[in-house]
Amino acid sequence: MTTSKQLLTKITSQGQLEINLVDSEVPEPKAHQVVVKIEATPINPSDMWPMFGPANLNEATFDAGKGQLIAPVHPGLLPRIKSRLDMSLPIGNEGAGVVVAAGESEAAQSMLGKTVAVLSGACFAQYCCVPVQACIVHKEETTPQQAASSFVNPLTALGMVETMRMEGHSALVHTAAASNLGIMLNKICIAEGVPLVNIVRKQSQADLLTDIGAKYVCNSSSDSFKKDLYKAIEATGATLAFDAIGGGELVSDILTAMEAVGSKDAEGFNTYGSDANKQVYIYGGLDFSPTILNRAYGMTWGIGGWLLMRFLGKLAPEKVGALHHRVANEINTTFKSDFTDVLSLEEALQPERIAQYNAKKTGEKYLINPQK
């Protein structure tokens, strides 16, 4: 266990993406670190930008002999990513496996031989060295594949509900709601009695959510979408939304519907709109076009970004520990993830495979087994 096969990504100042399968040295764990043999690491949407950046993947080529993928990057896009140019960077936000080495601390030693999920940013590798605080210890019967998606989606879904409570809201709106994360959020909200308005773009996605018990589902491709959204927000009283799309007018449509509900009983002049705070957090970027705001929602509203790690940083350690414990207990129920296929590190670089997982289709999620 002195070396580990690992994927590293680099975009050169000459405009070329290079992802290399290399042999990296496995460090000796410090006192509060463990070395995990990674057996399962999901390819999340949040991995795509660090992995590929703005490269043109339609022109990507893979050299199996070198273990290298290359693809062009338009020169005009390089200023957007100047901070990473010519740097070889690790990738892979999360994964799971067995602890095979540990530092001298009691906490690290207690994890030896256990299945853990890790949050690292370098999980597309056979071995990963992380602090014990970046681990979720799972039950003995839980497999690395079952534990692979323990951090990004489960903690984001839990974080949305926690944010709602911390900021004084009572109901939520969520876009791209038929995603793996969206299904987890529905299970949490149903179990805890939190009203949730789901926005999807296909009837098949609406049916999927209805089948698991979702009460409010709005199809953005329907001619009646804005009316349906108004009715759902009126029924739930939702004043907080989490948006995975980013671009287009959807954020503005949500705020408009919230304002229409908040002002429906207003009398006389209503210059500044309803006094209830209407907040949308953009946490994803499925659409990279500009966010368009048609300001028809008074003056009491806000739009901001929401990032999981910064949210967790606001919580007391014992609260984070409680969230970790819940994920471990419910990894095969509330936070269960199903995978379309399991790839090797080398297969994850093949253009035909990239086209499959980069499509980000509803119900399709891919896993890498670095030991494969």
Side-chain angles (χ1 to χ4, degrees):
M1 197 190 62
T2 58
T3 61
S4 169
K5 290 191 180 299
Q6 180 177 16
L7 293 181
L8 297 177
T9 180
K10 177 171 69 173
I11 295 178
T12 70
S13 50
Q14 285 71 47
Q16 179 169 278
L17 167 71
E18 300 174 359
I19 305 180
N20 294 287
L21 181 57
V22 303
D23 289 322
S24 299
E25 184 176 347
V26 180
E28 284 289 325
K30 296 178 182 178
H32 282 80
Q33 291 181 325
V34 293
V35 175
V36 181
K37 181 181 180 181
I38 301 294
E39 298 178 35
T41 173
I43 306 174
N44 292 314
S46 57
D47 292 310
M48 303 299 184
W49 181 255
M51 192 171 184
F52 302 121
N56 182 357
L57 297 176
N58 292 326
E59 297 182 20
T61 60
F62 175 60
D63 186 326
K66 292 183 178 179
Q68 182 184 64
L69 174 93
I70 61 172
V73 179
H74 191 280
L77 299 175
L78 295 178
R80 294 177 56 190
I81 53 169
K82 62 180 181 180
S83 61
R84 66 168 289 180
L85 293 179
D86 299 315
M87 298 176 62
S88 289
L89 304 173
I91 38 180
N93 284 324
E94 64 178 330
V98 176
V99 176
V100 293
E104 60 190 23
S105 72
E106 183 179 347
Q109 286 291 315
S110 71
M111 292 185 182
L112 269 173
K114 293 186 177 179
T115 296
V116 299
V118 301
L119 186 68
S120 161
C123 285
F124 291 176
Q126 291 179 317
Y127 294 91
C128 192
C129 184
V130 296
V132 294
Q133 296 89 343
C135 298
I136 295 176
V137 179
H138 279 272
K139 295 180 178 180
E140 186 175 343
E141 62 270 22
T142 301
T143 67
Q145 181 164 330
Q146 291 168 334
S149 291
S150 293
F151 277 96
V152 175
N153 286 346
L155 291 180
T156 297
L158 289 169
M160 289 175 176
V161 177
E162 290 295 325
T163 299
M164 178 198 74
R165 292 177 174 139
M166 289 167 62
E167 297 187 359
H169 302 274
S170 60
L172 292 168
V173 178
H174 184 224
T175 71
S179 64
N180 181 265
L181 187 157
I183 290 171
M184 292 180 186
L185 181 61
N186 270 277
K187 290 178 180 179
I188 294 168
C189 290
I190 291 168
E192 300 184 11
V194 175
L196 174 64
V197 178
N198 298 276
I199 298 177
V200 297
R201 58 187 174 85
K202 295 179 181 178
Q203 186 57 45
S204 59
Q205 296 168 338
D207 295 340
L208 185 154
L209 292 178
T210 301
D211 288 344
I212 65 169
K215 187 173 181 181
Y216 305 100
V217 186
C218 302
N219 183 351
S220 63
S221 65
S222 168
D223 291 339
S224 61
F225 168 63
K226 291 183 179 180
K227 290 182 180 179
D228 296 338
L229 181 61
Y230 174 89
K231 291 177 182 178
I233 290 176
E234 182 181 36
T236 60
T239 49
L240 175 64
F242 286 89
D243 175 50
I245 309 299
E249 299 185 13
L250 186 55
V251 165
S252 196
D253 290 341
I254 293 168
L255 289 170
T256 299
M258 288 178 177
E259 174 60 28
V261 170
S263 297
K264 63 183 173 64
D265 296 322
E267 296 180 357
F269 287 112
N270 189 27
T271 306
Y272 301 116
S274 62
D275 58 3
N277 184 44
K278 303 167 286 292
Q279 176 70 43
V280 178
Y281 286 117
I282 298 174
Y283 76 96
L286 295 175
D287 182 347
F288 287 108
S289 68
T291 304
I292 300 171
L293 303 180
N294 301 308
R295 292 175 52 190
Y297 20 86
M299 295 300 291
T300 312
W301 57 274
I303 296 173
W306 192 94
L307 189 65
L308 173 62
M309 294 310 299
R310 291 178 185 168
F311 168 75
L312 293 176
K314 299 176 183 178
L315 303 181
E318 56 269 23
K319 180 62 177 180
V320 176
L323 295 178
H324 286 186
H325 188 66
R326 179 173 179 180
V327 172
N329 283 340
E330 300 178 32
I331 197 63
N332 290 316
T333 53
T334 307
F335 306 112
K336 185 176 185 293
S337 292
D338 294 313
F339 298 97
T340 305
D341 203 356
V342 179
L343 312 177
S344 67
L345 290 169
E346 183 177 89
E347 287 171 332
L349 295 184
Q350 296 171 357
E352 61 272 20
R353 289 297 203 172
I354 293 172
Q356 292 172 340
Y357 64 73
N358 197 41
K360 306 180 188 75
K361 293 181 179 179
T362 301
E364 292 190 9
K365 193 171 180 66
Y366 289 79
L367 193 72
I368 295 174
N369 178 356
Q371 310 300 327
K372 186 176 175 182

